Amino acid sequence: MTYRIILELLYKSHSYFPNYECDTHKTLMAVIGGLASDISFHMGNILGLFKIPQLTYGSFAQEENEMNQSPWFYSMVPNEDQQYMGIIWLLQHFGWTWVGLFVVNDDSGEHFLKMMEPLLSQNGICLAFTGRIKNQFQWHGLTDGLDSVSNVFQAFADSKAKTYILYGESKTIVSLLTLIAVGDFEWKENVSLRKVWITTAQADFALTPIQWGWDFEFLHGAISFTIYTNELPGFQKFLQDSEDCIQCPEDQYPNKGHNQCIPKEINFLSIEEPLGISLATIAISFSVFTVFVLGTFIKHRDSPVVKANNRDITYSLLISLLLCFLCPLLFLGRPRMVTCFLQQSAFGIIFTVAVSCILAKTITVVIAFMATKPGSKMRKWVGKRLTNGIVLSCSSIQICTCTVWLGTTPPFPDLDTKSMTEEIIIQCNEGPLIMFYLVLGYMGLLSLLSLSVAFLARKLPDSFNEAKFITFSMLVFCSVWLCFVPSYLSTKGKYMVAVEIFSILTSSAGLLACIFFPKCYVILLKPELNKREQLIRRKN
């Protein structure tokens, strides 16, 4: 709840969005408040991120003060450990040597007992009993709260002590007073609450409107410690940190002490670092392997396996895959004007040609099967004219899209100084994101179309079973690029580039492996199956 209230304070609107200012409003200069220690520290967790000074007037234990060493957090009162000796001196002054303790049942209460019990013993003051009070956040319903108070005050009823020390923050006091007022306790009729009550400085007797008419006369005359008023040590220095703070230049960031600006490191995917070397090695390795597959198909171009699957489209697909594997090299190294200009457009066009070739091969398989039926009119569509038309028409749309992109808002090298605190990202500014997603979306549309046609044709006779391999290859391809979008949007800097390179290499490798590995296996390792008679026998 505390975090939400602070965020609403920083981003005040009907619906708040962290790190976005939805409405025009005045800049928040500082926050004063937070009586309870947990609330103060929760406030500090958020305010410190935005470098907003927080002045808190609550009295905290020494251990709690050490928990928050933020330069934006200033406690206006000394730590509460100094009150403990004051309580001892007060008890000794009036000769109150038989006392009881009421403490809140949390870490601050345990710290109070840890400090007070030895001090009481060392100064000849006896402890009658210790009662731990649950705050409202520890109740398991109102009944549990009433039971806890009843148990504590039963020991109070049996005690002969006249002096009691009450330790707790404002929410604990309010909870205690409420339960005493509404609870129907047997000891209330026979036991007087009029004792000497001593409270620490952070105890606040603020009442809610509903409590104004209740009888709290037993607290009249309670002795409460207060904060000594004087000039706050270190306060002027704190204001200097706040008022004289100078914004670091965009190419620098403040150190932890917020008293010095440190130059930011340059961030881009270098080909000399391990990640860049690994990706470049993988890209070149797959390129070499693609050349080997292409050479194998050219060498065995007259074999039945190669001829049965449209040699020209097969060569075009292999050349496209070769360029796909080489495309990541444009993304490695420091972004330049030429590489930024070519990166996304080359990626989009080359992949579109590859997917168009696969779509053409798939449609060819279907039409070739339909043309074998007697009297079929589909025979006139079998041939290079159809496949070349599919590849050229599908690729032309992507080429036109990229031409418009490059002609209107071409990508260019840019510096991103905002996304990362300690680094400057050197990246290619791609201009309107709509153009990038149009290129990616069109490629995805062709992929889904190829997958759908191949899936419908997967059960054709064995001599036309390339559709099965295409189906599986397009499943891999689509899965990779579906995972790419959320991964790409959730990374920054060089890792964003690495995600795109990895997606390019993985999807290209999936196409190469699923479509061409079975054919290479037959051509190189099972030459006896690479015969026309085998194809006819499998068909029959």
Side-chain angles (χ1 to χ4, degrees):
M1 180 61 71
T2 304
Y3 290 145
R4 181 179 181 88
I5 292 174
I6 293 299
L7 289 174
E8 287 180 343
L9 179 65
L10 294 174
Y11 304 99
K12 188 177 181 181
S13 64
H14 295 293
S15 58
Y16 73 92
F17 299 93
N19 294 326
Y20 290 89
E21 294 186 5
C22 302
D23 295 323
T24 302
H25 58 279
K26 296 180 180 179
T27 303
L28 183 65
M29 299 302 297
V31 173
I32 301 176
L35 178 62
S37 59
D38 54 347
I39 295 177
S40 296
F41 294 143
H42 290 159
M43 291 170 60
N45 290 338
I46 299 296
L47 296 174
L49 295 175
F50 298 94
K51 301 178 177 60
I52 297 176
Q54 176 189 359
L55 308 177
T56 180
Y57 49 80
S59 179
F60 306 143
Q62 179 66 29
E63 294 179 357
E64 294 176 329
N65 272 337
E66 292 175 354
M67 291 172 58
N68 198 319
Q69 297 296 329
S70 170
W72 305 100
F73 183 90
Y74 184 84
S75 178
M76 300 175 67
V77 297
N79 68 73
E80 69 177 26
D81 290 5
Q82 300 182 22
Q83 299 182 61
Y84 302 156
M85 281 309 302
I87 294 175
I88 297 298
W89 294 337
L90 177 66
L91 296 175
Q92 290 178 330
H93 178 77
F94 289 101
W96 296 326
T97 58
W98 185 245
V99 300
L101 291 180
F102 287 98
V103 298
V104 62
N105 189 24
D106 60 12
D107 292 340
S108 61
E110 290 300 322
H111 174 79
F112 178 79
L113 291 177
K114 178 182 176 182
M115 300 297 295
M116 280 300 299
E117 287 178 342
L119 287 175
L120 293 172
S121 176
Q122 294 168 9
N123 290 275
I125 300 172
C126 297
L127 187 59
F129 80 98
T130 299
R132 288 177 169 82
I133 307 169
K134 291 183 179 180
N135 60 46
Q136 63 267 39
F137 299 110
Q138 297 172 325
W139 298 351
H140 300 291
L142 180 60
T143 302
D144 180 59
L146 292 171
D147 290 341
S148 65
V149 171
S150 178
N151 294 335
V152 170
F153 274 86
Q154 189 60 51
F156 170 82
D158 297 336
S159 173
K160 302 301 182 182
K162 301 297 183 181
T163 305
Y164 294 90
I165 302 172
L166 178 60
Y167 176 86
E169 296 173 343
S170 56
K171 59 188 178 185
T172 307
I173 304 299
V174 171
S175 302
L176 177 63
L177 296 179
T178 301
L179 293 175
I180 292 175
V182 303
D184 185 16
F185 304 120
E186 296 180 357
W187 48 263
K188 289 175 67 174
E189 297 181 358
N190 302 320
V191 177
S192 173
L193 295 175
R194 295 184 177 181
K195 310 291 183 179
V196 176
W197 294 92
I198 302 173
T199 65
T200 53
Q202 67 269 39
D204 190 358
F205 289 99
L207 301 180
T208 60
I210 197 175
Q211 296 173 317
W212 289 350
W214 295 354
D215 181 17
F216 295 124
E217 187 178 352
F218 70 93
L219 287 175
H220 292 177
I223 302 174
S224 177
F225 279 75
T226 187
I227 304 300
Y228 178 70
T229 303
N230 202 345
E231 182 178 349
L232 299 175
F235 185 63
Q236 292 299 324
K237 181 180 179 181
F238 176 79
L239 290 179
Q240 287 175 7
D241 294 343
S242 303
E243 294 178 352
D244 299 338
C245 184
I246 300 174
Q247 185 77 23
C248 287
E250 288 190 345
D251 60 345
Q252 299 179 16
Y253 69 96
N255 62 355
K256 292 183 178 180
H258 297 274
N259 54 17
Q260 184 180 2
C261 293
I262 302 175
K264 293 182 178 180
E265 296 183 0
I266 302 299
N267 181 303
F268 65 90
L269 185 56
S270 172
I271 198 170
E272 299 177 355
E273 63 179 288
L275 180 59
I277 294 173
S278 301
L279 293 174
T281 302
I282 295 173
I284 294 173
S285 300
F286 276 118
S287 301
V288 172
F289 191 79
T290 306
V291 171
F292 170 76
V293 175
L294 179 59
T296 302
F297 271 66
I298 293 175
K299 181 179 179 181
H300 298 85
R301 59 185 176 277
D302 294 325
S303 66
V305 170
V306 178
K307 293 173 65 176
N309 293 288
N310 196 323
R311 285 179 297 188
D312 294 338
I313 291 296
T314 298
Y315 296 157
S316 300
L317 176 57
L318 283 170
I319 293 173
S320 299
L321 289 177
L322 173 61
L323 296 177
C324 288
F325 286 122
L326 294 175
C327 185
L329 299 180
L330 291 173
F331 292 81
L332 294 172
R334 190 185 185 99
R336 306 288 183 186
M337 184 63 71
V338 175
T339 55
C340 287
F341 189 82
L342 294 176
Q343 275 180 8
Q344 302 298 350
S345 56
F347 152 70
I349 293 173
I350 293 170
F351 261 84
T352 300
V353 172
V355 177
S356 299
C357 291
I358 294 174
L359 179 60
K361 288 172 71 68
T362 309
I363 294 177
T364 300
V365 170
V366 176
I367 293 179
F369 173 73
M370 297 174 65
T372 59
K373 296 180 180 180
S376 175
K377 297 181 180 180
M378 300 300 295
R379 292 183 179 180
K380 63 181 181 179
W381 294 102
V382 178
K384 297 181 179 179
R385 185 173 61 178
L386 174 65
T387 55
N388 292 340
I390 293 174
V391 174
L392 290 175
S393 60
C394 293
S395 301
S396 297
I397 297 176
Q398 191 73 291
I399 292 173
C400 291
T401 304
C402 292
T403 301
V404 172
W405 185 5
L406 297 178
T408 55
T409 55
F412 59 92
D414 193 17
L415 299 179
D416 180 4
T417 60
K418 305 296 184 182
S419 297
M420 303 181 72
T421 305
E422 301 179 3
E423 296 179 357
I424 297 176
I425 301 174
I426 302 180
Q427 61 184 6
C428 290
N429 189 323
E430 298 164 357
L433 286 178
I434 185 65
M435 299 304 298
F436 173 71
Y437 287 113
L438 277 176
V439 170
L440 198 63
Y442 180 71
M443 188 176 70
L445 179 63
L446 290 181
S447 304
L448 291 175
L449 183 59
S450 300
L451 174 61
S452 302
V453 176
F455 180 78
L456 295 175
R458 72 192 186 283
K459 293 185 179 180
L460 293 179
D462 286 346
S463 57
F464 304 97
N465 70 346
E466 190 177 26
K468 297 179 181 179
F469 303 129
I470 293 176
T471 301
F472 190 69
S473 68
M474 296 314 298
L475 278 174
V476 174
F477 185 88
C478 293
S479 300
V480 169
W481 288 105
L482 282 176
C483 296
F484 162 77
V485 175
S487 302
Y488 185 79
L489 295 176
S490 61
T491 53
K492 297 178 181 179
K494 62 182 179 182
Y495 298 107
M496 178 182 284
V497 179
V499 166
E500 185 167 1
I501 293 176
F502 179 80
S503 300
I504 292 173
L505 294 177
T506 306
S507 56
S508 302
L511 296 179
L512 180 66
C514 296
I515 296 177
F516 292 102
F517 276 14
K519 297 180 178 61
C520 289
Y521 175 77
V522 172
I523 293 173
L524 299 176
L525 301 179
K526 295 290 184 179
E528 66 275 10
L529 299 179
N530 190 11
K531 296 179 180 178
R532 186 170 182 273
E533 294 79 9
Q534 288 292 334
L535 294 178
I536 296 175
R537 185 180 297 114
R538 291 171 65 190
K539 176 181 177 181
N540 296 331

